[in-house]
Amino acid sequence: MSDPLPLAGRVALVTGASRGIGYAAALGLAQAGAHVIATARTQGGLVELDDAITAATGQGATLVPMDITDGDAIDKLGGAIFERWGRLDILVSNAGELGLLTPIGHLDPKIWDRAVAVNMTATYRLIRSVDPLLRKADAGRAIFLTSGAASLPRAFWGAYAATKAGMEALVRVYADEVEHTPVRCTLLSPGPMRTRMRMTAFPGEDPADLTPPEAIMPLVVELARADSEPPILQNFVDWRERSAD
């Protein structure tokens, strides 16, 4: 008899799910048995994800095309999840905005505002919307993708570094607030991966030298398990090295 799927019967929301790490996370959660609610701005990418999930599991995903900066849409999504499932077991907050690598003094305010909206404000709105749903789960798991730039900022990364640092602060505050509940939060730092954002930030890199996003799937599933006690900060590279020992 095969082992039961570790996330069978659980409901997962993944943002930024149309490509890269979000796509891989959504597919990995579905393969582990979860029903995936996938959001992204790109309808075509969501359809491709749904096709992949259906091919792998025989079950489709719930697709929600939306801009993560639309706070009203986030609130409506939370209400719709409550009406259909009454809870949310897993959140993977992956949508992110690099902004522009440029000196702070040259940074266009519109680019700054977009980075703040995607990386910080949307995180607040997501937490605000799904917190009651995570608390209704028997073991809510909230995973937020972060970056080493948040703790080790460097020249020209002002918009991304500052807003990711702000996002991390929000998540740590929320983790403290839910400490005495079954909800657990994790800041997941993937390290260098073969994503569009990485290619934009480092156009001279050879994509073949980078880890594919699919490699993070087992870690996301591990962090999402109800029987896990996930850490507040998890670095993928460190996890992979420990797993290889």
Side-chain angles (χ1 to χ4, degrees):
M1 182 180 296
S2 62
D3 293 335
L5 296 173
L7 303 180
R10 305 190 81 74
V11 181
L13 170 62
V14 182
T15 71
S18 62
R19 62 176 181 256
I21 294 171
Y23 183 104
L27 181 56
L29 292 170
Q31 290 175 333
H35 178 77
V36 171
I37 306 160
T39 79
R41 287 186 296 171
T42 309
Q43 173 79 34
L46 289 176
V47 172
E48 290 178 12
L49 170 66
D50 188 43
D51 290 343
I53 288 175
T54 301
T57 70
Q59 304 292 326
T62 297
L63 307 182
V64 185
M66 59 177 281
D67 190 320
I68 199 65
T69 65
D70 186 341
D72 290 340
I74 291 175
D75 288 345
K76 290 177 182 177
L77 176 59
I81 293 171
F82 176 76
E83 289 296 325
R84 183 167 176 183
W85 291 283
R87 73 184 196 285
L88 181 66
D89 300 293
I90 302 158
L91 167 67
V92 178
S93 177
N94 168 73
E97 178 69 30
L98 177 64
L100 184 66
L101 302 186
T102 188
I104 293 173
H106 298 173
L107 188 61
D108 188 297
K110 291 182 180 179
I111 294 174
W112 168 264
D113 289 346
R114 176 71 185 177
V116 171
V118 174
N119 297 337
M120 284 184 60
T121 305
T123 301
Y124 147 67
R125 293 299 296 253
L126 266 175
I127 292 172
R128 178 177 179 271
S129 182
V130 305
D131 168 57
L133 302 170
L134 290 168
R135 290 174 186 261
K136 286 184 176 295
D138 60 350
R141 298 290 179 262
I143 303 165
F144 301 83
L145 273 293
T146 188
S147 166
S151 56
L152 295 172
R154 58 181 180 176
F156 313 127
W157 286 73
Y160 189 67
T163 54
K164 277 296 188 179
M167 182 276 290
E168 285 200 0
L170 281 170
V171 172
R172 289 181 181 276
V173 168
Y174 179 53
D176 200 40
E177 292 171 352
V178 297
E179 180 182 6
H180 299 296
T181 78
V183 179
R184 292 294 177 265
C185 301
T186 298
L187 289 159
L188 174 54
S189 181
M193 283 199 166
R194 194 183 305 154
T195 64
R196 183 178 298 183
M197 182 182 291
R198 181 76 186 186
M199 295 300 97
T200 301
F202 298 95
E205 285 185 333
D206 184 349
D209 294 334
L210 297 172
T211 303
E214 305 82 63
I216 207 170
M217 291 161 65
L219 175 55
V220 172
V221 171
E222 180 180 307
L223 295 171
R225 292 177 63 116
D227 59 358
S228 69
E229 188 61 33
I232 182 61
L233 179 62
Q234 178 67 73
N235 182 287
F236 168 73
V237 176
D238 293 342
W239 174 86
R240 182 176 57 181
E241 291 177 352
R242 287 197 306 270
S243 300
D245 292 338

